[in-house]
């Protein structure tokens, strides 16, 4: 890189070599014996001596008086220790990572910038070109707002109405049906709430989601939103399944007359509600528990 860029053989590059004052301690990290020579421009030039012969200078002088060979200049690694061997290079992109209040600098090839993959830990290599959002499609954005809002409103109405009408139920079969339908409305309301909150979060982040997506994915808010969606889905699924089974059972016994609401039937309905809600919450929370983290892979892989 040094030879090609300094000879002007590379398009749109800058020669990384700079004039650095020399002293007796210069290059002491790699050269114990060294010889200085006066160059044509009346500046001291450092040359290497090897087996009683002098070789042309191919040593880069760092800002901290250390020295590295030209082969280690602009190689995406801070070989000098102060970063001066990578300062004037045009073949890389600088990543700034703030770790425990200390800023560490790393380098990636310039070809890795805006390639659709995050190579810097601070995601800065994609910040100027990434337009990814939580919901990318306009139709999905509109659907999330519309379905989420309608689901909350109408299922909320059904939920309130069925709750107040529960006392007027006369038979045990009607009570179980009413309770299961109410649970289905509750589950659908939670799913609608999930869609509505996702749309709100998408509007809040906007185009900044590209830089904050990993922070969001590992946040407790994202986990809580996933729990709400899973609980709602499971409640609706279990309730519809049990409702279908009970109705099939009643159809097979067409001659039986439904009995009145008794304490036993109330206890049975309460048990079914507790079972559905409890299992739904358990299935939603278990993947978030540390002991099951490896099983459900609740983590992010950063290359």
């Amino acid at each position: 890189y040094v030879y090609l860029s300094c000879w002007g053989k590379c398009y749109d590059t800058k020669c990384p070599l700079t004039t650095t004052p020399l002293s007796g301690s210069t290059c002491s990290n790699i050269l114990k014996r060294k010889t200085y020579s006066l160059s044509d421009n009346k500046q001291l030039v450092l040359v290497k001596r090897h087996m009683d012969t002098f070789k042309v200078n191919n040593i880069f002088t760092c800002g901290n008086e250390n020295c590295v060979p030209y082969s280690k200049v602009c190689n995406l690694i801070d070989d000098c220790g102060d970063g001066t061997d990578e300062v004037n290079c045009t073949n890389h992109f600088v990543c700034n990572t703030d770790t425990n209040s200390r800023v560490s600098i790393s380098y990636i090839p310039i070809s890795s910038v805006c390639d659709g993959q995050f190579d810097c830990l601070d995601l800065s290599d994609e910040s100027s070109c990434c337009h990814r959002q939580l919901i990318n499609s306009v139709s999905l954005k509109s659907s999330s707002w519309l379905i989420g809002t309608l689901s909350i409103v109408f299922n909320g109405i059904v939920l309130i109405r069925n709750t107040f009408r529960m006392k007027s139920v006369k038979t045990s079969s009607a009570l179980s049906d009413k309770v299961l339908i109410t649970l289905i409305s509750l589950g659908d309301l939670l799913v609608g709430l999930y869609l509505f909150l996702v749309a709100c979060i998408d509007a809040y982040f906007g185009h900044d989601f590209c830089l904050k997506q990993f922070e969001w994915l590992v946040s407790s808010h994202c986990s809580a939103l996933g729990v709400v969606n899973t609980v709602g889905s499971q409640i609706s699924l279990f309730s519809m399944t049990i409702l279908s089974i009970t109705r099939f059972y009643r159809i097979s016994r067409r001659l039986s007359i439904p009995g009145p609401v008794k304490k036993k039937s109330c206890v049975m309905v309460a048990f079914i509600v507790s079972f559905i809600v409890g299992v739904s919450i358990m299935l939603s929370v278990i993947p978030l528990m540390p002991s099951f983290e490896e099983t459900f892979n609740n983590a992010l892989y950063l290359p």
Side-chain angles (χ1 to χ4, degrees):
Y1 179 88
V2 173
Y3 293 109
L4 293 176
S5 61
C6 293
W7 288 345
K9 300 298 183 180
C10 292
Y11 174 75
D12 196 21
T13 58
K14 180 180 179 181
C15 181
L17 300 182
T18 57
T19 303
T20 305
L22 301 178
S23 65
S25 58
T26 301
C27 296
S28 58
N29 63 317
I30 61 172
L31 295 177
K32 303 303 180 183
R33 300 176 61 186
K34 47 189 173 289
T35 302
Y36 294 97
S37 173
L38 189 63
S39 65
D40 294 338
N41 57 1
K42 297 182 180 180
Q43 292 182 348
L44 287 177
V45 175
L46 183 65
V47 295
K48 291 192 301 182
R49 181 178 180 181
H50 179 68
M51 299 295 292
D52 296 328
T53 60
F54 293 95
K55 290 189 175 181
V56 68
N57 179 24
N58 66 343
I59 298 175
F60 178 84
T61 306
C62 307
N64 56 4
E65 295 191 341
N66 287 334
C67 293
V68 296
Y70 283 173
S71 59
K72 293 188 176 182
V73 178
C74 299
N75 64 343
L76 310 183
I77 301 174
D78 180 11
D79 298 288
C80 284
D82 60 354
T84 52
D85 57 315
E86 303 293 328
V87 169
N88 297 312
C89 306
T90 57
N91 65 334
H92 66 225
F93 179 84
V94 182
C95 305
N96 295 316
T97 305
D98 190 354
T99 307
N100 296 327
S101 300
R102 296 183 61 185
V103 178
S104 59
I105 297 177
S106 59
Y107 306 93
I108 62 171
I110 195 68
S111 58
S112 297
V113 178
C114 295
D115 62 346
Q117 297 181 353
F118 293 105
D119 300 284
C120 295
L121 292 179
D122 61 349
L123 314 182
S124 57
D125 57 312
E126 302 292 328
S127 60
S128 61
C129 48
C130 180
H131 304 289
R132 186 182 307 164
Q133 300 183 44
L134 182 59
I135 305 177
N136 291 308
S137 173
V138 177
S139 59
L140 289 178
K141 291 177 186 287
S142 303
S143 300
S144 297
W145 283 110
L146 180 62
I147 297 175
T149 302
L150 293 179
S151 178
I152 293 174
V153 172
F154 289 111
N155 283 292
I157 293 174
V158 173
L159 191 63
I160 295 173
R161 182 179 297 177
N162 286 348
T163 301
F164 281 103
R165 291 181 178 179
M166 204 75 69
K167 296 180 181 179
S168 60
V169 175
K170 302 298 183 181
T171 62
S172 58
S173 59
L175 176 63
S176 62
D177 289 350
K178 185 74 70 174
V179 170
L180 291 173
I181 293 173
T182 303
L183 283 178
I184 294 173
S185 300
L186 175 62
D188 292 343
L189 186 146
L190 291 176
V191 174
L193 179 62
Y194 165 79
L195 292 175
F196 181 80
L197 291 177
V198 167
C200 292
I201 294 168
D202 173 70
Y204 172 76
F205 281 117
H207 292 288
D208 292 336
F209 179 75
C210 187
L211 293 178
K212 300 179 180 178
Q213 58 178 315
F214 294 132
E215 179 182 350
W216 161 251
L217 290 174
V218 298
S219 66
S220 57
H221 297 88
C222 181
S223 299
L225 201 59
V227 168
V228 170
N229 180 46
T230 306
V231 169
S233 302
Q234 296 301 323
I235 287 178
S236 296
L237 177 63
F238 288 138
S239 300
M240 286 189 289
T241 302
I242 295 177
L243 181 62
S244 301
I245 293 173
T246 54
R247 286 185 172 180
F248 177 79
Y249 177 74
R250 291 189 204 122
I251 292 174
S252 63
R253 299 181 60 187
R254 287 176 295 179
L255 298 178
S256 61
I257 301 176
V261 177
K262 297 181 180 180
K263 183 178 180 180
K264 181 180 179 181
S265 58
C266 292
V267 172
M268 179 61 66
V269 170
F271 172 78
I272 293 175
V273 172
S274 301
F275 173 80
I276 292 175
V277 175
V279 172
S280 300
I281 294 176
M282 181 180 65
L283 292 176
S284 305
V285 174
I286 283 179
L288 302 178
M289 299 175 63
S291 55
F292 293 94
E293 192 173 80
E294 295 293 334
T295 304
F296 293 94
N297 195 25
N298 184 32
L300 288 175
Y301 170 73
L302 296 177

